[in-house]
Amino acid sequence: MSADLLIDVKHLRKVYGKEERQTVALDDVSFSMNSGDFVAMMGPSGSGKSTLLQLLGLLDVPSAGTYFFEGKETTHYSGKQLARIRNEKMGFVFQAFNLLPKTSVYDNVVLPLLYSKIPSSHWKERVLSAVDSVGLHHRLHHESGMLSGGEKQRCAIARALVTDPAIIFADEPTGNLDSKSGQNIMEILRGLHEKKRHTILLITHEERIAQYAERIITVRDGLIERDVLL
């Protein structure tokens, strides 16, 4: 297995319900990602892309198939093992921001470090670096509830970066933003990839947003319909 291979999914399947009431959300999905890739996964609502993100982010387990992360097969890990990998290796950015509204930008960004093995003596340096990387230093001590939508998403990206994860999962990161703010967020993500080689998996239903990536995987009806390098 290549040293650069970060994600390797083989014949992944996810089924909800039982017997006659079964819903197949994913069916025989196989693909891989290397460290340093910027991949967009797109498809309409109900296509299975969100289910796939849940599995890749170790927030759910597949019904069948295998998922190798950093060369290790994860589908039989305990809940504790999955949580450790999520906390140490993965950063998440969601459409709804998921910030603590009455808490400062600094305290929102430092939150993942509270559950990490990183010494507290390094926390301030990491928070400042993450906040600077998204251009939000001037809002460091403002409550996140007072920020604009674009600033909230920048705060969420900084929070995802602060542990220096192996991959950032960005789930519809522009979904709650106007077009200009959305463009700014995508420029930040593209910059993080191009300048710092962060690995990013972007989930979107918009073609124009997917075009910021270097590869687009299209999911439809639980299947990978197309996998194209840009």
Side-chain angles (χ1 to χ4, degrees), residues 40-70:
M41 188 166 290
M42 66 174 299
S45 297
S47 62
K49 63 184 187 300
S50 294
T51 298
L52 186 52
L53 175 67
Q54 294 282 314
L55 299 181
L56 297 177
L58 303 179
L59 299 166
D60 198 358
V61 294
S63 304
T66 58
Y67 173 22
F68 288 84
F69 184 82
E70 292 188 328

Side-chain angles (χ1 to χ4, degrees), residues 129-145:
S129 176
V131 170
D132 283 345
S133 71
V134 299
L136 206 59
H137 188 89
H138 65 295
R139 297 292 236 168
L140 188 64
H141 300 296
H142 286 70
E143 289 185 359
S144 67

Side-chain angles (χ1 to χ4, degrees), residues 205-225:
H205 64 277
E206 296 184 71
E207 179 74 31
R208 66 180 182 86
I209 297 298
Q211 290 293 325
Y212 280 88
E214 58 186 9
R215 174 182 168 200
I216 299 177
I217 297 174
T218 304
V219 181
R220 186 177 298 275
D221 298 329
L223 301 166
I224 291 182
E225 183 179 65

Side-chain angles (χ1 to χ4, degrees), residues 86-99:
R86 282 197 307 272
N87 291 340
E88 295 179 2
K89 300 288 187 176
M90 299 175 175
F92 295 87
V93 180
F94 297 102
Q95 177 178 339
F97 315 132
N98 292 351
L99 302 176

Side-chain angles (χ1 to χ4, degrees), residues 2 15 106 200:
S2 168
V15 179
Y106 183 97
I200 301 171

